[in-house]
Amino acid sequence: VQLVESGGGEVQDGGSLRLSCAARTGTFRSACMGWIRQVSGKEREGVASIDSDDTPTYADSVKGRFTIAKDNAKNTLYLQMNSLKPEDTAMYYCAARLCFSANYHYWGQGTQVTVS
């Protein structure tokens, strides 16, 4: 599965962005998907995930501000980010895994989000 993220950029504190992750090969339909972010020099942080029946899970730090969704027909995963804060600044990665596996097997190249 080849994943390609887009939609990152620089926004002001309180702004919004929508990240997209398109699967160039493979399908999302039976996969569990997630958004993971990483600040240089720090550990990766799971931001949000969605399983094969579209049940979402969020990190406490983004609950109420971020929404994860997927469009199986378009093979695209989204992350709507509202009320962005400077601490949300990071490289955001899209990832996919088989739902019975604990680890993500497929990763995108990442898209940078900067909140100033």
Side-chain angles (χ1 to χ4, degrees):
V1 177
Q2 183 183 6
L3 304 174
V4 180
E5 300 101 332
S6 61
E10 184 168 354
V11 295
Q12 292 188 339
D13 191 355
S16 297
L17 282 174
R18 188 176 80 155
L19 305 183
S20 298
C21 172
R24 298 299 187 210
T25 59
T27 177
F28 285 172
R29 192 171 302 276
S30 58
C32 286
M33 308 292 300
W35 289 97
I36 297 92
R37 66 187 180 188
Q38 187 170 26
V39 176
S40 181
K42 296 188 177 181
E43 291 188 358
R44 288 174 176 170
E45 176 190 17
V47 173
S49 63
I50 187 165
D51 61 20
S52 56
D53 65 2
D54 290 346
T55 300
T57 304
Y58 299 97
D60 287 344
S61 58
V62 306
K63 278 181 182 176
R65 300 189 297 121
F66 290 11
T67 302
I68 188 171
K70 61 176 176 169
D71 185 331
N72 290 328
K74 295 182 178 179
N75 264 354
T76 303
L77 179 72
Y78 302 100
L79 185 68
Q80 178 66 44
M81 304 185 295
N82 298 328
S83 301
L84 282 161
K85 305 174 182 179
E87 51 263 45
D88 294 317
T89 295
M91 183 71 78
Y92 283 71
Y93 296 92
C94 165
R97 62 181 175 87
L98 296 175
C99 293
F100 58 78
S101 174
N103 298 315
Y104 286 106
H105 304 291
Y106 306 100
W107 293 79
Q109 82 289 351
T111 186
Q112 178 67 37
V113 171
T114 302
V115 185
S116 57

